[in-house]
Amino acid sequence: MQLNETTKILLAFDQKLVADCLKSYLSHHKNLQVIGEIKNDNNPSKTISDLNPDLVIFEFMLWSVKYLDYMSKLNLQFPGLKILIISELISQQLMVKIMPYINGYVVKTCSAEKIILAIQEINCSGKYLCPKAVDNFFKCHRNDENDSSLTGREKQILSAWIEEETNNEVANALNISVSTVRTHLKNIREKLGNVNRLQMMIYACKHNLLARKHKPICPNCRFFINAAN
């Protein structure tokens, strides 16, 4: 989406007061248009089909495991739809499971400005996690003490692994075998504390291991990259 294009937004909510406040706040920002509102228990998928929004903001008063399956189904039914969730702080395990199906997550105790930042980041780079979510879910700070444990070759492997889509492509890019790539990735995960893919991406962002064409995945990572440059 171009920066000067209007983002059509559907608000799906548990609390009408929150939805009304959010609609009022968004109306003061150009290029953002709220085209509809619906309660979460009134089948938002039908409204999504009827209104064809660019982004759905889901406000959940309390998080439920059932939302994981719901987001998965929406992702399959509307593959081009962007989803931003506003809810409580949930566990790292739940966040890891839901992130493949959504584009952003903002903890409801964050400031309203984070909603605008989230929308902008989702339109530009596809993903957004508010700083509170990053700290809780991915614990970026714990990797500081492990930075020196990665060898130069391992950092190169990690960078290429994020840039390429498969281990075969990493192997071709670095002129090494696929088994060597797997071994390095196994060692990297062990050194960083058995982290998952998203945590490895955030580690690479934070320590400025990404190629210039790749943008940071979260505001915390952007801060560290800007500080390093």
Side-chain angles (χ1 to χ4, degrees), residues 7-213:
T7 300
K8 296 181 296 181
I9 300 171
L10 172 66
L11 299 178
F13 60 89
D14 282 344
Q15 302 170 96
K16 185 67 165 69
L17 177 61
V18 174
D20 289 343
C21 292
L22 186 56
K23 181 179 180 180
S24 176
Y25 183 73
L26 294 175
S27 68
H28 292 89
H29 294 264
K30 73 173 188 176
N31 301 330
L32 299 180
Q33 179 187 6
V34 177
I35 60 174
E37 305 169 62
I38 186 170
K39 283 188 65 68
N40 286 321
D41 55 7
N42 288 343
N43 189 19
S45 60
K46 183 180 184 306
T47 304
I48 293 171
S49 181
D50 291 341
L51 297 182
N52 191 30
D54 301 308
L55 171 73
V56 179
I57 299 179
F58 284 95
E59 180 270 320
F60 295 123
M61 183 169 61
L62 295 173
W63 183 258
S64 171
V65 176
K66 68 181 181 181
Y67 297 142
L68 175 61
D69 181 60
Y70 181 51
M71 293 302 147
S72 174
K73 290 179 179 177
L74 283 181
N75 187 260
L76 290 174
Q77 187 177 359
F78 306 101
L81 180 67
K82 296 180 175 64
I83 295 174
L84 171 64
I85 291 178
I86 303 173
S87 190
E88 61 185 336
L89 196 61
I90 61 176
S91 70
Q92 180 189 38
Q93 291 76 15
L94 280 175
M95 178 54 63
V96 170
K97 290 179 180 179
I98 200 172
M99 277 306 294
Y101 308 119
I102 67 174
N103 299 87
Y105 198 104
V106 174
V107 178
K108 60 175 59 179
T109 55
C110 287
S111 64
E113 287 81 2
K114 290 293 186 297
I115 304 296
I116 304 301
L117 177 59
I119 295 172
Q120 293 172 341
E121 289 296 316
I122 288 171
N123 284 337
C124 290
S125 57
K127 292 285 185 180
Y128 177 86
L129 291 175
C130 72
K132 291 182 180 180
V134 171
D135 288 342
N136 186 64
F137 306 138
F138 303 110
K139 298 177 173 57
C140 289
H141 62 275
R142 78 176 183 176
N143 291 326
D144 289 339
E145 61 191 35
N146 295 320
D147 184 33
S148 61
S149 68
L150 291 189
T151 66
R153 187 58 163 172
E154 286 169 343
K155 291 179 180 180
Q156 184 183 32
I157 293 286
L158 178 57
S159 176
W161 178 74
I162 292 172
E163 294 174 30
E164 308 296 344
E165 294 186 0
T166 67
N167 288 351
N168 284 332
E169 292 178 356
V170 174
N172 291 335
L174 299 180
N175 196 26
I176 57 179
S177 68
V178 175
S179 62
T180 299
V181 172
R182 292 197 188 101
T183 298
H184 277 300
L185 290 175
K186 178 176 179 292
N187 292 338
I188 291 169
R189 283 192 173 95
E190 290 177 351
K191 287 184 176 181
L192 298 182
N194 292 316
V195 293
N196 56 51
R197 181 180 180 89
L198 283 173
Q199 287 171 308
M200 291 171 71
M201 291 175 67
I202 287 180
Y203 175 91
C205 286
K206 178 177 176 180
H207 295 287
N208 205 15
L209 302 182
L210 297 181
R212 295 192 178 190
K213 64 181 179 179

